[in-house]
């Protein structure tokens, strides 16, 4: 099982969460909530209002999201879903645990108790330069005050 940190449309209550609970895609078990240890710019960009974490450590905010434990099948699905490695790149990042529900190995519980876990995160280093000038968010909600509702794939 691998740990994945999601900060956008795959979180609970967001437009693509349905994929995280679709066992035909693999297994994803909610472990808790966290935020990036380093600051990153989280922007909403493109004509479909897609959230992107730009891989510019030290800029932006500590981005909030959810930590999942996923099997190989789900990880492969997420790679395809996220257009990895072209649109997003899956990299390891340090995530500070804010709230932990996970049940796992003693080592995992100890790491969570210490407050920081290594998780795979889909961020991007391949973005138009003007995205750096967009507003930065610390948390994503498709129906947030920004007014930039995510456009579902089936509606494009």
């Amino acid at each position: 099982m691998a740990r994945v940190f999601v900060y956008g449309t795959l979180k609970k209550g967001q437009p693509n969460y349905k994929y995280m609970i679709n066992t035909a895609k693999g297994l994803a078990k909610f472990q808790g909530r966290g935020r990036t240890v380093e600051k990153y710019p989280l922007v909403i960009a493109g004509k479909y209002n897609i959230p992107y974490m730009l891989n510019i450590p030290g800029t932006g905010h500590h981005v909030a999201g959810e930590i999942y434990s996923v099997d190989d099948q789900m990880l492969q699905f997420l790679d395809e879903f996220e257009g990895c490695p072209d649109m997003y790149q899956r990299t390891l990042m340090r995530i500070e645990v804010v709230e932990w529900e996970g049940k796992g190995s003693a080592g995992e519980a100890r790491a969570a108790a210490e407050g920081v876990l290594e998780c795979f995160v889909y961020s991007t280093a391949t973005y138009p330069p003007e995205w750096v000038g967009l507003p930065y968010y610390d948390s994503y909600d498709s129906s947030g005050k920004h007014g930039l509702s995510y456009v579902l794939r089936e509606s494009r």
Side-chain angles (χ1 to χ4, degrees), residues 65-100:
E66 297 173 347
I67 302 163
Y68 287 84
S69 183
V70 302
D71 66 6
D72 289 343
Q73 183 184 349
M74 178 58 80
L75 193 61
Q76 185 177 345
F77 166 77
L78 290 172
D79 280 354
E80 291 166 16
F81 182 80
E82 300 290 12
C84 188
D86 302 324
M87 192 157 113
Y88 292 92
Q89 297 80 48
R90 175 165 48 96
T91 56
L92 279 173
M93 287 186 189
R94 294 177 43 214
I95 303 300
E96 177 189 352
V97 175
V98 174
E99 182 183 307
W100 189 251

Side-chain angles (χ1 to χ4, degrees), residues 12-28:
K12 290 180 181 180
Q14 297 303 312
N16 290 320
Y17 177 65
K18 60 191 174 201
Y19 298 114
M20 297 300 284
I21 56 174
N22 181 349
T23 54
K25 308 284 185 200
L27 296 176

Side-chain angles (χ1 to χ4, degrees), residues 30 48 50 56 75-76 79-80 89 122 152:
F30 178 76
Y48 303 121
I50 297 171
I56 310 172
L75 193 61
Q76 185 177 345
D79 280 354
E80 291 166 16
Q89 297 80 48
Y122 292 91
L152 291 168

